Amino acid sequence: MARPIASGLPKSGVLVIVLLRVVLLAIAIGLASAYVIAGAGHPWDFETYYYAASAYRAGLDPYRLESLTAVAGKPTELPFLYPPVTLLLFLPLVHLSLATASLVWLSAKCALAGFLLWIWRREFLRSVAPDLVLATALLGFDLALLWDLRTGNVALVEQALLWLGFLAYVRGRFLIAAVLIALASVFKLGPIIFLALFLSPLGQRSRVAPMVLGLVAFVSLIVVPLAPLASWTHALTTAFGHGSLTPNSDPSAPTVLGWALWLAGTPPSAFRWIQVALYGLFAIVVISASVAALRRAGRSFGPADRVVMAIVLWFLLSPRVMVYSYASAVVPALFVFYQTIRGRAWRLAACLLLLLQALVRFLPGQPPMWLGVVSFLIMLGTWVLWVRGRENNPLPERLAPSIGSAV
């Protein structure tokens, strides 16, 4: 049974707290809505998808900027980089005008965001108040969710499939989970690594079948010849070979380390190998400490805990994590906070830390470069809390439903 909110306060005090929470949530929703609406008129990522599908429909190569320019009637700068099969998602939308298609895409993604919140709250964050989950999802991690909605990126589609797969995994439906993870990985490829979840002990018989099924589904979808695979791989390698990402767009370990080396004035001749060496050392430390913590947890480490820890390691170790993907970082952060931080005041302070980036982002002027670094550091702190929690309490406290415990 849920504990009453602020049970030691008189009714008038409880009413004030409830009203305050409602007002703060309304402010968060208002800010989020205004932010998305302000940029929704130019969803540059979706425009690329729309023009690529239009080019394919016209018999042109969707991986050439010249093709996108031809169907757009104006110069285009962002190439289409997803596998050919992903064009099927956008082909129905090219029958609409760009403005109408953008609105349909935004509406569909808002529905997907609501679906994600339902999964997160129902299965992973049951002891966190729904208003806190919503506010953190909207404003946390440098407005990652809002950036996705604003630019029309495909990340929310990827995340919805991925979390639906995680939900199936937690409930023991491993074959379904493997297929959903494979479907989610079709866009940006990297999430296929989450099939490694089936390597962890689950007290079940052989888990080779789900992994094989997931890999077969993934490869089968990648090689669907809707467009020349050579054109796709060329566009992909070209995009990764040019330009440098910043911590604001790619808050991953290599980018953050590179930014720190740049600030330290590292000579260009030594920059690359020092960055790679530091990243390798960081990965070794994180993996070693995580394996030791997992061994201490033993059989008490449940499926939901495995999913959360896999996501944390993904954010820390992935060589490239675009800012949109950090929308999912809300779950491991809140999950670990509510397992490892016992004091209510400290836990609330940790949750408020997730919202500080939004306050800076809403300030006038160009956002500082360190803003993206904060997202990575929060995930690093989440990992440290988890490892220390396994040292002090190898039997994790289950997250039972308790709205009152959120404050």
Side-chain angles (χ1 to χ4, degrees), residues 96-383:
L96 306 172
S97 67
L98 176 59
T100 303
S102 299
L103 182 59
V104 171
W105 181 249
L106 177 60
S107 301
K109 290 188 42 174
C110 287
L112 287 176
F115 177 67
L116 278 171
L117 286 167
W118 177 80
I119 292 178
W120 295 345
R121 179 71 171 81
R122 180 180 177 86
E123 197 66 38
F124 297 92
L125 301 174
R126 287 176 290 168
S127 67
V128 185
D131 56 340
L132 180 58
V133 174
L134 178 57
T136 308
L138 292 176
L139 304 181
F141 290 97
D142 200 15
L143 309 181
L145 179 63
L146 303 186
W147 267 105
D148 179 90
L149 293 173
R150 182 168 171 156
T151 64
N153 194 267
V154 77
L156 270 179
V157 178
E158 174 193 71
Q159 294 298 316
L161 289 168
L162 194 58
W163 280 97
L164 197 56
F166 292 153
L167 181 64
Y169 173 84
V170 168
R171 296 185 175 182
R173 300 172 182 175
F174 300 131
L175 292 176
I176 296 175
V179 171
L180 287 168
I181 290 172
L183 286 173
S185 305
V186 164
F187 298 99
K188 302 181 182 180
L189 308 183
I192 196 64
I193 193 65
F194 286 114
L195 287 177
L197 282 167
F198 296 104
L199 296 175
S200 60
L202 292 168
Q204 304 285 339
R205 57 180 181 270
S206 175
R207 294 169 301 279
V208 174
M211 291 188 63
V212 171
L213 178 62
L215 288 173
V216 168
F218 175 68
V219 173
S220 299
L221 289 168
I222 292 298
V223 299
V224 171
L226 288 180
L229 291 176
S231 295
W232 166 54
T233 55
H234 175 74
L236 196 62
T237 54
T238 300
F240 276 90
H242 293 284
S244 58
L245 296 172
T246 67
N248 274 346
S249 60
D250 173 26
S252 63
T255 303
V256 170
L257 288 170
W259 181 71
L261 290 173
W262 175 76
L263 288 180
T266 305
S269 58
F271 182 93
R272 185 60 179 169
W273 71 262
I274 294 177
Q275 182 189 32
V276 172
L278 288 177
Y279 174 54
L281 180 61
F282 173 77
I284 290 171
V285 171
V286 169
I287 292 173
S288 300
S290 299
V291 169
L294 286 169
R295 287 175 177 171
R296 284 192 295 273
R299 293 185 178 275
S300 66
F301 205 56
D305 302 83
R306 293 185 183 96
V307 168
V308 167
M309 202 57 237
I311 297 170
V312 173
L313 292 176
W314 161 259
F315 281 115
L316 292 183
L317 300 178
S318 177
R320 176 177 169 133
V321 183
M322 299 306 288
V323 63
Y324 312 113
S325 297
Y326 266 84
S328 286
V330 169
V331 179
L334 292 178
F335 187 97
V336 172
F337 289 173
Y338 275 76
Q339 277 201 2
T340 60
I341 302 176
R342 302 304 177 191
R344 181 175 297 182
W346 285 107
R347 191 163 60 218
L348 180 59
C351 292
L352 291 176
L353 177 64
L354 301 179
L355 307 179
L356 288 181
Q357 285 170 291
L359 299 179
V360 177
R361 174 69 68 175
F362 284 129
L363 294 176
Q366 189 72 16
M369 189 68 68
W370 54 259
L371 202 58
V373 178
V374 175
S375 294
F376 178 81
L377 293 179
I378 290 175
M379 291 313 299
L380 182 60
T382 299
W383 174 78

